[in-house]
Every structure is written in structure tokens, then in C-alpha cells.
């Protein structure tokens, strides 16, 4: 099925470092969402973006809706061990309820 | 916690059997979407239900079907199970289907294994 291009696939960083990941598409989206999923759990919503250019923060997390509406990025500042998990971007086109997901970025944090 | 619950948590079936998975949406939500997540992949949209009607379907065969009940809970039924149906099945609930602010909140999922 259709997926967004999410990068990097995985990251192994030191506690305290900042992290950046992004999601791109050849198509336009009108909503971008970022989720975090722990093993054996469902995705948990981190940040929702609804307008091109929108920059939104949630604690140490910051995400932006790209001005072209074809990309989004997520930054995590001062990473901590509990940031470990798989981060997914998801986008919606048009007025449908269908979310299209990226392949995920696996984040590992070394204490 | 999102308030979205799913049952059962795990299920083992054999090829050719039928399975029913259940989802209770978050209080105040009227829309349920189902996703299939294969190991190491992002979730793939199966379909969405609003006001007890299917409202949008992904690239899944007709043996994947669903129901939504008046209390907004939902079922996913899969007939003639195949080995490739082994996956985590996720249910997501949301408040409305119109407009861009239809933010979906996921349940913990049901892990289906087909032998």
C-alpha cells in the first residue's frame, strides 16, 4: 500500500542529544500527525498539524507542517531513555478518514 | 490512555478460519477506523465506519468486513484467513469525519497469528 517516506529508519543516540526525523511525499497532505509506538502497544498521538507552515510544540517535541504540504519534521530536544520507541508520521489527503503512515523511525537512547 | 479498548489482546487461528475482533471507541467519539500493521511496517488503512456505515476503504479484499453499532463500538471480521493476515490489528476512534480535525486515537491492538 501507499506509504510516506520517513527517515532515518533508525537512530541510536546518547541521552541528552537532540533528534530530528522527517517525512516526505510526492503528494499533498492537509493534515500531518506524529505518533509514537512502544512494542506491543498501539500508536500514541504526539502532535497534530493542520495548516501549511504550522509549527507546534508538545514539551520537548516540536513538529512542523511543511510549506509545500508534502513534508513534515519532528524534533525531540534533550532526549531521555523513555523516548525510546518507534515514531510514525501519518498524513491525510482530502476529506477522507484514511491515514497514510510512514515506515517508522526506531529511536534508541543510550543512558 | 486513549480510552479506546480492543479485544481480545491476542488470538491464534488456523488458515481458512474466520475471526471477529472488537473495539470500543473513546467516549464522545462517533467514528471508528481499522488498520492492519504487519511486523516492522506502518499501519495500513482497512476501512472506516461512521453512523454504522462504511465510509472509505483501503486496498483490502471483501473478506475483510466490519460493523459499527449504535453505541459506536465496532467489529472487524475476517473470513477465510490466510497466513499473511497475521498482524497487529488496530482500531482508532475519532469525533467526526468532516473537516481536517478528525484526529484519530488508537487502541492497544489485537495481535492475530494465523497458522
Amino acid at each position: 500500500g501507499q506509504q510516506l517516506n520517513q527517515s532515518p529508519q533508525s537512530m541510536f543516540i546518547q541521552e541528552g542529544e537532540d533528534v530530528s526525523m522527517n517525512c516526505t511525499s510526492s503528494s499533498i497532505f492537509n493534515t500531518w500527525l506524529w505518533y509514537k509506538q512502544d512494542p506491543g502497544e498501539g500508536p500514541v498521538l504526539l502532535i497534530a498539524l493542520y495548516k501549511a507552515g504550522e509549527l507546534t510544540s508538545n514539551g520537548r517535541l516540536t513538529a512542523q507542517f511543511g510549506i509545500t504540504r508534502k513534508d513534515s519534521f519532528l524534533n525531540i530536544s534533550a532526549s531521555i531513555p523513555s523516548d525510546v520507541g518507534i515514531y510514525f508520521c501519518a498524513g491525510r489527503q482530502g476529506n477522507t478518514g484514511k491515514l497514510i503512515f510512514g515506515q517508522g523511525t526506531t529511536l534508541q537512547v543510550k543512558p | 490512555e486513549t480510552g479506546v479498548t480492543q479485544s481480545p489482546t491476542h488470538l491464534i487461528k488456523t488458515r481458512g478460519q474466520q475471526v471477529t475482533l472488537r473495539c470500543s471507541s473513546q467516549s464522545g467519539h462517533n467514528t471508528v477506523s481499522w488498520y492492519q500493521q504487519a511486523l516492522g511496517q506502518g499501519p495500513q488503512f482497512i476501512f472506516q465506519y461512521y453512523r454504522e456505515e462504511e465510509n472509505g476503504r483501503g486496498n483490502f479484499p471483501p473478506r475483510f468486513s466490519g460493523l459499527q453499532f449504535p453505541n459506536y463500538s465496532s467489529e472487524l471480521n475476517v473470513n477465510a484467513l490466510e497466513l499473511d493476515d497475521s498482524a497487529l490489528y488496530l482500531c482508532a476512534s475519532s469525533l467526526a469525519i468532516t473537516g481536517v480535525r478528525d484526529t484519530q486515537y488508537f487502541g492497544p491492538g489485537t495481535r492475530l497469528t494465523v497458522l
Side-chain angles (χ1 to χ4, degrees), chain A residues 1-3 30-31 33 35 37 40-43 45 48 50 88 92 94-99 101-103, chain B residues 33 35 37 40-45 48 58 88 90 97-109:
Chain A
Q2 181 184 3
Q3 283 194 321
N30 59 24
T31 302
L33 304 165
Y35 290 89
Q37 186 174 29
E41 305 284 332
L45 181 66
Y50 303 107
F88 287 100
R92 178 166 46 235
N95 220 17
T96 72
K98 174 182 177 180
L99 291 181
F101 280 80
Q103 307 97 314
Chain B
S33 305
Y35 292 80
Q37 186 177 24
Q41 302 290 321
Q44 297 283 330
F45 178 76
Q48 183 180 78
L88 182 68
L90 295 162
I97 62 165
T98 57
V100 297
R101 293 183 185 261
D102 173 24
T103 304
Q104 296 180 16
Y105 297 88
F106 285 84

Side-chain angles (χ1 to χ4, degrees), chain A residues 17-18 20 29 33 36 39 45 52-53 63 68-69 71-72 76-77 80 85 87 91 94 98 100 104-105 109:
Chain A
E17 287 184 352
D18 296 344
S20 186
F29 286 83
L33 304 165
K36 177 175 181 265
L45 181 66
T68 65
R69 296 170 64 193
D71 63 338
S72 176
I76 304 173
S77 62
I80 59 178
Y87 291 79
K98 174 182 177 180
I100 298 169
T105 294
V109 179

Side-chain angles (χ1 to χ4, degrees), chain B residues 17-40:
Chain B
Q17 284 189 312
Q18 177 265 345
V19 69
T20 297
L21 311 181
R22 294 178 175 84
C23 171
S24 291
S25 58
Q26 185 171 315
S27 177
H29 284 182
N30 56 11
T31 302
V32 173
S33 305
W34 285 92
Y35 292 80
Q36 180 195 65
Q37 186 177 24
L39 206 59

